[in-house]
Amino acid sequence: MTVTVWILGDQLVTTHPALELAEQEQGRDRLVVLMIESEQRAGRLPYQRKKLVLLFSAMRHYAQELRTAGYCVDYRTAPDTDSAVREHFEAHQPDRMLTMAASEYRGRRYQQRLSRGLGIPVTVLPNTQFLTGRFDPIPDPQPGRRYVQERFYRKMRQHFDLLVDPDGEPSGGRWNFDKENRKRLPADAEPHPPITFPPDPVTRAVMDEVERNYQGVGQVAGFNLAVTRQAARAAAQDFFDHRLADFGAYEDAMSSMHETIYHSRHSPYLTLGLLDPLELAREAQGRYLADQAPINSAEGFIRQVVGWREFIYWQYWRLMPGITDSNFWNAERPLPGFFWSGETRMNCLRQVIQRALESGYTHHIERLMVVSNFCLLAGIDPRTVNDWFLSAYIDAYEWVMVPNVYGMGLHADGGLIATKPYFSTSNYINRMSDYCRDCALDRKSRTGKDACPFNTLYWNFILQHEGALRSNPRMNRSLLGLRHLDDRERSLVRKYALRYLETLS
Ligand code: SF4
């Protein structure tokens, strides 16, 4: 009997469950590993070219490691996944296929239909890249019910014994140190930049191919990411040694000077399976126990990896496919053209967009409180926002973007994921960054041709959606400000908001 083990491009894990099972049952000699680069999938959107380089190079390195370990690997570059699977089937005539469940909806549906299409048994094993595959803290969620991330996160901490004292209480006396994660970056701070990895011949060949064949955003030049598990672990060590200690205090800070600040930049590696979430969480805990990192840093990091990342994946599978049709605010404006160039007078948006287009990375607060904040207030269609994030960001895959954009960022789901919409005036951006200092717009004005659009659009949004916002008790403070807006001021807000929105194209 010949067995095919199909390893998807974002499943480059150390111990692949399908490979392990096939080897146990069949032996290494009777199995063929199938890996596919699909041109159709890579061209579905104008993807960041560095993202494609990372994906293809990591896949090719992984395939080479398997070959070196004695596996037969059928690595195919094909117009689409289906033709590659069929050509593989004709060439190898497998009697059975094993694979690990895709992290994305479309891919998993395809896997579920494969057996009928190929006429052989196809076993789809649970996805081990997520801890919720090993422990589901809310195994029977009810449709339409809201689940709070904090409860989910505590259960994950308890189950995996992360920052939990022997008496069952949270280390440091609290489960969440979010309030100690909000410092502005001092002007003289010099965060240790992440280590970089010069492209090897395999990566250089991929860079040439992507440059030639894909018309996405950004350039392949300057690609310097890890493309193997060994290199990704070195990148992780670099974070734990040099940035974790300050990560907590400055987790929400934004800076025009420093792209990474004290963030880990683990997300692209976690997404592809090059790093393991539990290993990272345990390492952060170890650094805290060894007095190498304060509790607000260790807990803040673990909350991102074991709390937020897992919660988002869990919500994605709970709410798909309906969530992608949600549009709570009836936002229908097309994405402004400057999202593809960064050419806008708004300094914060210009810098964040240009960074995203160039490197494929900005940290989560810039994504939430600059990009998504703007899109929510300007009434941009959630589908176009989701596609933009998927295109521009190196770590953006559907399972992570859909809940983050439709839920957290735009509240298009009506509050199934986040308990309140996240939006603010320029005050938040000014408090947490240096962007306003060099902006041509007036951060203190609400109306007028040079007023910061975050201010104008913020008040316009509140006026437009007052009824819906009043029904959310967590929005009371924002609505209190309305008392200071008399009729004249309200009409000016509406006038200047409309005038600004008409300039967006
Ligand atoms: Fe952004 Fe407004 Fe500040 Fe300019 S003034 S950087 S647009 S928040």
Side-chain angles (χ1 to χ4, degrees):
M1 179 184 267
T2 303
V3 173
T4 288
V5 174
W6 180 21
I7 297 183
L8 277 62
D10 61 351
Q11 298 184 344
L12 310 179
V13 290
T14 305
T15 308
H16 196 287
L19 196 57
E20 203 176 28
L21 181 62
E23 193 164 355
Q24 274 167 15
E25 290 184 356
Q26 214 54 52
R28 197 169 292 189
D29 296 345
R30 308 301 303 273
L31 69 87
V32 182
V33 174
L34 170 64
M35 295 182 74
I36 302 168
E37 283 180 23
S38 159
E39 289 164 17
Q40 183 194 52
R41 177 69 186 88
R44 193 184 289 162
L45 289 171
Y47 290 118
Q48 165 69 249
R49 284 157 150 176
K50 290 188 178 76
K51 176 184 195 164
L52 296 180
V53 173
L54 172 64
L55 173 67
F56 294 157
S57 181
M59 287 175 68
R60 292 182 195 185
H61 279 90
Y62 189 85
Q64 191 50 48
E65 284 174 21
L66 289 178
R67 287 192 188 103
T68 305
Y71 292 97
C72 172
V73 180
D74 181 16
Y75 193 99
R76 290 180 176 266
T77 301
D80 56 74
T81 302
D82 206 43
S83 63
V85 169
R86 288 183 187 285
E87 281 168 20
H88 167 85
F89 189 78
E90 279 164 29
H92 294 273
Q93 298 288 314
D95 304 290
R96 185 182 172 205
M97 182 184 275
L98 282 102
T99 187
M100 180 164 84
S103 58
E104 298 187 341
Y105 187 82
R106 213 181 310 212
R108 201 172 290 185
R109 290 289 166 273
Y110 179 76
Q111 288 173 320
Q112 286 164 346
R113 291 195 302 265
L114 253 185
S115 179
R116 201 168 33 186
L118 295 176
I120 58 168
V122 175
T123 306
V124 182
L125 296 168
N127 190 307
T128 57
Q129 287 171 275
F130 297 88
L131 302 178
T132 43
R134 297 170 230 176
F135 167 69
D136 188 344
I138 309 173
D140 300 308
Q142 290 161 23
R145 192 175 151 199
R146 176 181 289 160
Y147 291 91
V148 182
Q149 188 254 349
E150 187 63 25
R151 182 170 153 238
F152 179 100
Y153 166 55
R154 283 185 196 184
K155 287 192 172 191
M156 294 295 277
R157 286 259 304 272
Q158 286 162 331
H159 181 81
F160 289 102
D161 195 18
L162 290 163
L163 294 181
V164 178
D165 291 343
D167 61 1
E169 292 300 313
S171 301
R174 272 188 282 146
W175 290 101
N176 187 320
F177 287 79
D178 189 36
K179 288 199 173 76
E180 276 103 287
N181 295 151
R182 298 174 189 171
K183 273 191 172 173
R184 183 188 167 101
L185 192 71
D188 60 354
E190 291 195 6
H192 192 280
I195 54 167
T196 55
F197 301 86
D200 66 5
V202 174
T203 302
R204 283 203 297 275
V206 174
M207 289 166 74
D208 287 345
E209 288 172 36
V210 170
E211 179 80 40
R212 251 192 337 269
N213 301 332
Y214 293 96
Q215 306 306 314
V217 300
Q219 301 299 327
V220 298
F223 179 87
N224 58 14
L225 296 173
V227 290
T228 64
R229 282 166 294 162
Q230 191 187 18
R233 275 197 286 270
Q237 283 310 308
D238 173 67
F239 164 70
F240 289 120
D241 289 346
H242 300 295
R243 296 193 299 283
L244 174 67
D246 290 310
F247 167 73
Y250 303 108
E251 186 177 344
D252 288 0
M254 300 180 276
S255 166
S256 62
M257 307 285 291
H258 308 283
E259 182 174 284
T260 304
I261 311 185
Y262 297 105
H263 287 261
S264 68
R265 292 185 78 139
H266 289 160
S267 52
Y269 307 137
L270 272 167
T271 300
L272 296 187
L274 300 177
L275 290 176
D276 178 76
L278 196 53
E279 275 178 26
L280 295 177
R282 294 235 154 98
E283 177 75 28
Q285 173 177 250
R287 297 291 175 132
Y288 165 70
L289 294 174
D291 271 340
Q292 293 170 5
I295 186 68
N296 65 325
S297 285
E299 188 279 321
F301 178 78
I302 288 172
R303 186 169 2 110
Q304 292 296 327
V305 175
V306 170
W308 191 246
R309 178 177 184 268
E310 295 289 335
F311 182 66
I312 282 293
Y313 184 70
W314 182 84
Q315 289 281 25
Y316 173 76
W317 281 103
R318 189 171 82 87
L319 299 173
M320 278 298 281
I323 187 172
T324 53
D325 291 326
S326 62
N327 193 347
F328 182 74
W329 310 106
N330 297 316
E332 290 178 349
R333 197 174 305 284
L335 191 76
F338 65 71
F339 271 72
W340 302 105
S341 67
E343 286 167 18
T344 163
R345 289 174 78 204
M346 301 170 75
N347 190 39
C348 54
L349 259 186
R350 182 174 65 243
Q351 298 225 23
V352 172
I353 290 173
Q354 285 179 347
R355 221 174 239 173
L357 297 178
E358 196 180 312
S359 73
Y361 177 82
T362 66
H363 70 69
H364 68 282
I365 289 296
E366 290 166 328
R367 302 187 202 199
L368 179 67
M369 296 310 293
V370 178
V371 178
S372 298
N373 186 13
F374 176 82
C375 292
L376 171 63
L377 297 178
I380 311 295
D381 183 338
R383 282 191 194 88
T384 66
V385 180
N386 190 52
D387 281 353
W388 182 80
F389 272 106
L390 285 171
S391 299
Y393 281 86
I394 209 156
D395 53 7
Y397 285 73
E398 190 185 80
W399 67 263
V400 61
M401 284 337 300
V402 163
N404 267 304
V405 170
Y406 286 85
M408 183 82 175
L410 302 185
H411 205 77
D413 65 344
L416 289 172
I417 292 174
T419 51
K420 65 166 189 169
Y422 284 81
F423 60 98
S424 77
T425 62
S426 63
N427 281 346
Y428 180 87
I429 294 170
N430 184 51
R431 190 167 71 244
M432 296 306 298
S433 79
D434 58 358
Y435 289 132
C436 298
R437 191 192 61 198
D438 301 320
C439 187
L441 296 163
D442 180 359
R443 75 167 181 84
K444 292 186 177 157
S445 293
R446 183 158 51 204
T447 54
K449 73 178 175 46
D450 288 330
C452 168
F454 278 107
N455 299 341
T456 319
L457 296 178
Y458 174 92
W459 290 107
N460 184 60
F461 184 83
I462 288 187
L463 289 170
Q464 194 180 350
H465 298 291
E466 188 181 344
L469 293 169
R470 272 204 195 285
S471 64
N472 185 330
R474 293 198 67 199
M475 294 311 302
N476 284 348
R477 273 187 63 192
S478 312
L479 290 161
L480 280 179
L482 272 183
R483 286 183 312 188
H484 306 297
L485 256 64
D486 59 21
D487 287 348
R488 184 179 164 277
E489 193 63 21
R490 288 176 188 220
S491 123
L492 279 174
V493 163
R494 289 194 179 100
K495 180 176 116 182
Y496 278 101
L498 185 63
R499 195 175 282 184
Y500 175 74
L501 291 169
E502 281 174 354
T503 67
L504 300 179
S505 59

